[in-house]
Amino acid sequence: EVQLQASGGGLVQPGGSLRLSCAASGFAFDDVAIGWFRQAPGKQREKIVFIKISDGIPIYEDSMKGRVAMSSDNAKNTVYLQMNSLNAEDTAVYYCAATPRRLIVSALSTQTSYDYWGQGTLVTVSS
């Protein structure tokens, strides 16, 4: 059974940092692409970053570019999202998603390309 478990969300003050984790199981970790997305209250879900585990190069979208860094620990089947300089507009539920399909980079920018989704972790930025 494929599972993605996102964690690490919580309350953080404006300007603060947070690191989210996404633990994956049920598939060959090296063969997947994993992405981070978020959905703010009243807004559509948007993409943040994705990575093909096999090449380890994150591709950042404009939504949080320059303030986030995605990394992976293949030994733990886990990816991370380090978020810095957070502000109130970053308040959202953050999701990780994965696909085992070998897709081109442009396809991985599309949410519908992802076959498995975690339950999300809530990040609240507030003083």
Side-chain angles (χ1 to χ4, degrees):
E1 180 186 5
V2 174
Q3 286 190 339
L4 296 170
Q5 183 70 39
S7 62
L11 177 64
V12 60
Q13 291 188 340
S17 299
L18 209 57
R19 189 178 81 156
L20 306 182
S21 301
C22 176
S25 61
F27 50 67
F29 191 70
D30 290 351
D31 290 340
V32 301
I34 297 181
W36 283 100
F37 302 81
R38 68 177 181 177
Q39 187 166 20
K43 295 186 178 180
Q44 291 188 336
R45 189 165 57 193
E46 63 177 353
K47 49 190 179 289
I48 302 172
V49 59
F50 61 86
I51 190 171
K52 286 187 177 183
I53 298 300
S54 59
D55 64 30
I57 301 173
I59 306 296
Y60 296 95
E61 303 290 345
D62 291 338
S63 55
M64 297 185 75
K65 197 170 187 177
R67 299 190 294 124
V68 295
M70 184 176 184
S71 60
S72 67
D73 185 336
N74 293 14
K76 295 182 178 180
N77 285 8
T78 300
V79 297
Y80 303 96
L81 183 68
Q82 176 67 42
M83 305 187 295
N84 303 314
S85 301
L86 291 167
N87 56 61
E89 288 68 40
D90 296 315
T91 294
V93 178
Y94 287 72
Y95 300 90
C96 56
T99 178
R101 293 180 285 160
R102 296 186 179 182
L103 302 174
I104 59 176
V105 169
S106 59
L108 291 172
S109 292
T110 304
Q111 297 184 36
T112 55
S113 294
Y114 292 84
D115 304 296
Y116 305 102
W117 290 80
Q119 84 289 357
T121 185
L122 176 63
V123 173
T124 303
V125 184
S126 175
S127 55

